[in-house]
Amino acid sequence: MDITDFLKLPFAKSFTLLAGEHGTHHQITGVNILDNPKASDWLSPGELIVTSGYFFSESPEALERFLTHFHRLNIAGICIKPQIYLTPLPKALIERCNELAIPLIEIPYGIAFSKILNTVMNLLSNESNEANQMALDFSSDLLEAGLKGDGFTEVQHKLETLLGNPLIITNQDWSLLVEHVDEAFLPYIQKNTHQMHFQKEAFDTLPPNLAYLKHPSSFALNNQQTGTILPVFFNDITYGYLIVLQKNRDLNRKDYLALEHASITVALEIVHRTEKERIQNKVLRDFYRELLFGHSSIEDLSAFNIEFNYEIPYTVVIVALDSINEDTTNLVQQKYEEERTIRQVFAAAKFFQDPIFTELHLFKQGGYFIGLVGHAKQQTKISPTMEQQFFEAFQAYLLKNVPSSFYLNIYVGTKQAIDSLTQSYREAKRIIDYQKPAQSKIYFAQNFYFELFLRQHIQTDDAMSYVKHYLAPLLIPKNQDLLETLTAYLDNHLNLATTSRDLFIHRNTLLYRITKIEKILGYPLDTSQATLSLQLALHFLREYGKE
């Protein structure tokens, strides 16, 4: 039943179509009596709204807000009884209904809302039963296709056949999950090296809370092409979107039901693929862990049946993703977001290519990604500059493919032969302690040789004994400002002007403190021996004092 059929019903003979004549072909999927403005989020596509128009009377802004919302939802039309709150009818209401092709129908004061509701719903009941049965049959076909492994391609094909319109399926990041794309979508698709993305910026209109809606919404694109979008929403998680361009015909009740059933099928298929990837990644993780930390021979490792070049040297790297804002309270949603980010990192690493560093293997270990970067066999000498350029390009590529809500740091060990990879891993792991907060950086073990050498050869107890020998009088709380002054003075190579600026104190105050420090320690600070001894003590204090 569309609006034209509705106006032909016997009880509607006294109804008047005030505006929105171009929308009289809209299909009616149900009736909703609406006078509570907060209930507008509970509407469904295709519903006929019956109202007194109270919420239109609040303000011109409210009128515009509600009509825009109704248009996005593909509301069939508005039956309004304006005699109480809207006399006369606002001119803006009629103009906007005409612009948005929303039929605006005036109903006489004496007609009960319940009569419209009961009459239309009774007429729709037979259509509803038929539509529900069709949707159940369709859902069964989709599930069967998923079990056969046909997946998203079959879902897309069946939906396009049923809807008579082109459709694409995306994940939550708007990356396409299907390979076939109708030409009508091509202006809005962006291709990169390994996947296609729907350009979200192409939407002119889109509900602000789209990811949390559980019903289809209308949209308009930059070229005025219209369509319907439905979040793939299941178990409080948005897995992606079904996007339909209304290229050939408008959608009806059966179409909306089919889309809602299809969204569940797509969500289950995404969950299934995620679980499959998790199992595959576990096998890879076991292999790489045995390669790095185990004692297996190459013959034993070959039993994993994983393609790996054992003849070239590798550099072990650790990739750390740190969330900028950890405000997610939904644990299920948080877990899904983490898994989604992990998949994005793996996908980016898979497609990143370099002519010198020919192999890149990545696996997840605890809170980090551990990578093995293989060096081309013919390359006898790789300069630090070449290595730095590679990792800068790799970091930039990862940042481009993961959410902007993360800092991404990379810790790089030294190049080692296959039987010494553990050393490269330990080097990368040790320099994590030198990470600077709130930024994305690359850290090379070769730049921390001094720190790593001391860590490897000097135990904590020995280091702290050294600290106490040289700095004990300055470690008491009342001398904290003297310890800070000594640190700044030595860091600035005994330069008085620079040190006073760094400490925001007068030069004379600095001289007074230096004299006091020398008196406490019992020797002058400007000898090379004193400078070296104290700098090493301060270094040990920073490195070992927090343990």
Side-chain angles (χ1 to χ4, degrees):
M1 177 190 300
D2 60 20
I3 295 296
T4 300
D5 298 327
F6 169 75
L7 291 173
K8 292 178 180 178
L9 295 175
F11 75 91
K13 289 183 178 179
S14 57
F15 293 6
T16 304
L17 180 64
L18 301 175
E21 183 178 356
H22 293 300
T24 53
H25 61 284
H26 291 172
Q27 294 290 317
I28 300 174
T29 62
V31 180
N32 201 319
I33 298 175
L34 181 67
D35 265 332
N36 180 357
K38 294 183 179 180
S40 62
D41 286 338
W42 306 336
L43 298 172
S44 297
E47 285 187 325
L48 179 66
I49 296 175
V50 182
T51 179
S52 65
Y54 168 75
F55 48 82
F56 286 144
S57 66
E58 291 182 356
S59 66
E61 293 75 20
L63 185 150
E64 174 63 26
R65 184 172 67 251
F66 283 110
L67 287 180
T68 301
H69 181 59
F70 295 162
H71 178 64
R72 287 174 180 164
L73 272 178
N74 281 334
I75 291 301
I78 303 171
C79 287
I80 189 169
K81 188 184 289 188
Q83 292 83 356
I84 299 177
Y85 299 111
L86 290 174
T87 302
L89 278 172
K91 182 179 179 182
L93 175 61
I94 294 176
E95 290 177 350
R96 284 299 281 154
C97 283
N98 278 325
E99 291 172 5
L100 299 175
I102 300 176
L104 180 67
I105 303 166
E106 181 178 355
I107 55 178
Y109 184 79
I111 298 290
F113 286 174
S114 59
K115 183 173 183 179
I116 299 173
L117 175 68
N118 293 332
T119 302
V120 174
M121 293 308 294
N122 284 335
L123 291 171
L124 290 175
S125 61
N126 290 333
E127 293 183 18
S128 178
N129 291 335
E130 181 184 346
N132 285 327
Q133 185 60 50
M134 181 280 304
L136 289 172
D137 293 340
F138 183 71
S139 179
S140 177
D141 290 342
L142 293 178
L143 288 173
E144 183 179 350
L147 292 173
K148 288 180 179 179
D150 296 333
F152 304 125
T153 300
E154 186 64 17
V155 172
Q156 180 194 31
H157 172 70
K158 288 182 177 294
L159 282 173
E160 286 187 330
T161 301
L162 177 71
L163 304 178
N165 284 303
L167 171 141
I168 58 173
I169 305 172
T170 77
N171 63 14
Q172 191 183 35
D173 301 314
W174 305 92
S175 296
L176 267 63
L177 299 176
V178 292
E179 296 180 1
H180 166 73
V181 178
D182 186 276
E183 61 179 9
F185 275 109
L186 293 180
Y188 320 110
I189 302 297
Q190 181 181 17
K191 297 181 181 180
N192 59 25
T193 53
H194 62 274
Q195 57 189 172
M196 296 186 291
H197 292 270
F198 182 85
Q199 299 182 63
K200 185 182 177 183
E201 298 76 16
F203 289 115
D204 267 349
T205 59
L206 205 62
N209 58 340
L210 174 67
Y212 302 101
L213 297 179
K214 298 182 180 180
H215 54 67
S217 298
S218 295
F219 64 78
L221 297 171
N222 297 337
N223 66 349
Q224 303 304 311
Q225 172 74 59
T226 60
T228 298
I229 185 169
L230 173 66
V232 177
F233 194 85
F234 181 71
N235 196 24
D236 294 331
I237 296 175
T238 299
Y239 290 95
Y241 302 95
L242 300 176
I243 306 175
V244 185
L245 288 183
Q246 292 179 194
K247 176 182 176 182
N248 303 315
R249 67 173 181 84
D250 291 339
L251 303 185
N252 55 37
R253 179 178 177 80
K254 293 181 182 179
D255 299 329
Y256 291 127
L257 284 171
L259 284 171
E260 290 172 1
H261 281 270
S263 71
I264 297 175
T265 302
V266 171
L268 293 175
E269 178 67 13
I270 292 175
V271 171
H272 169 71
R273 293 192 179 194
T274 302
E275 187 61 30
K276 187 176 179 180
E277 288 174 0
R278 186 183 293 114
I279 294 172
Q280 292 172 341
N281 289 334
K282 184 180 183 305
V283 175
L284 287 172
R285 184 172 66 247
D286 291 344
F287 167 76
Y288 292 126
R289 288 177 63 180
E290 189 64 28
L291 178 67
L292 280 177
F293 315 121
H295 304 283
S296 300
S297 64
I298 292 179
E299 289 74 17
D300 294 334
L301 292 170
S302 299
F304 282 91
N305 198 29
I306 293 174
E307 185 177 346
F308 190 85
N309 189 346
Y310 299 95
E311 298 180 358
I312 61 175
Y314 288 85
T315 296
V316 177
V317 300
I318 296 176
V319 179
L321 281 174
D322 298 311
S323 178
I324 296 175
N325 300 308
E326 295 190 5
D327 56 357
T328 303
T329 56
N330 186 326
L331 294 179
V332 176
Q333 178 70 21
Q334 183 178 2
K335 180 175 175 57
Y336 173 72
E337 293 291 342
E338 290 174 354
E339 291 178 346
R340 184 166 64 96
T341 303
I342 290 171
R343 288 196 302 273
Q344 290 171 331
V345 172
F346 280 133
K350 178 181 178 181
F351 290 97
F352 183 75
Q353 295 180 348
D354 186 88
I356 298 175
F357 299 89
T358 55
E359 296 201 24
L360 176 59
H361 304 270
L362 201 69
F363 70 100
K364 188 80 165 48
Q365 173 74 16
Y368 299 106
F369 296 91
I370 300 177
L372 291 90
V373 179
H375 299 240
K377 192 172 182 180
Q378 66 272 19
Q379 287 288 338
T380 57
K381 181 66 175 177
I382 296 177
S383 69
T385 301
M386 294 165 63
E387 188 177 44
Q388 181 172 341
Q389 289 173 346
F390 167 80
F391 284 108
E392 286 175 351
F394 181 51
Q395 183 191 47
Y397 192 80
L398 289 179
L399 286 170
K400 183 180 178 181
N401 286 276
V402 300
S404 58
S405 56
F406 286 93
Y407 296 117
L408 193 149
N409 291 284
I410 300 178
Y411 309 93
V412 185
T414 57
K415 180 177 70 171
Q416 298 292 337
I418 197 71
D419 56 355
S420 302
L421 290 180
T422 302
Q423 177 181 338
S424 184
Y425 168 74
R426 287 173 180 165
E427 293 168 345
K429 187 176 181 181
R430 284 172 184 153
I431 60 177
I432 292 176
D433 293 337
Y434 301 98
Q435 174 184 334
K436 295 183 179 180
Q439 57 182 293
S440 296
K441 286 199 66 176
I442 305 172
Y443 302 83
F444 293 90
Q446 61 188 15
N447 296 335
F448 293 87
Y449 184 86
F450 175 74
E451 292 86 349
L452 295 178
F453 179 85
L454 294 179
R455 273 285 182 179
Q456 184 176 353
H457 294 92
I458 299 180
Q459 301 300 315
T460 301
D461 291 343
D462 295 332
M464 294 311 296
S465 294
Y466 186 95
V467 170
K468 290 177 182 177
H469 176 78
Y470 283 98
L471 297 176
L474 300 179
L475 296 178
I476 59 178
K478 72 174 184 177
N479 287 334
Q480 183 65 34
D481 59 335
L482 297 180
L483 183 65
E484 292 175 357
T485 300
L486 176 63
T487 302
Y489 188 49
L490 294 176
D491 286 346
N492 286 301
H493 310 292
L494 311 187
N495 186 299
L496 293 173
T498 306
T499 304
S500 59
R501 283 198 301 269
D502 286 353
L503 294 174
F504 300 101
I505 60 176
H506 194 274
R507 188 175 186 274
N508 291 339
T509 304
L510 176 60
L511 288 171
Y512 168 76
R513 289 185 183 180
I514 292 172
T515 301
K516 191 173 182 180
I517 292 170
E518 290 178 335
K519 183 177 181 181
I520 291 173
L521 295 180
Y523 52 83
L525 301 180
D526 57 359
T527 67
S528 59
Q529 182 177 352
T531 300
L532 176 61
S533 301
L534 291 172
Q535 282 180 325
L536 189 57
L538 290 169
H539 176 80
F540 283 154
L541 181 62
R542 286 192 296 266
E543 293 296 313
Y544 295 88
K546 53 192 176 186
E547 294 183 358

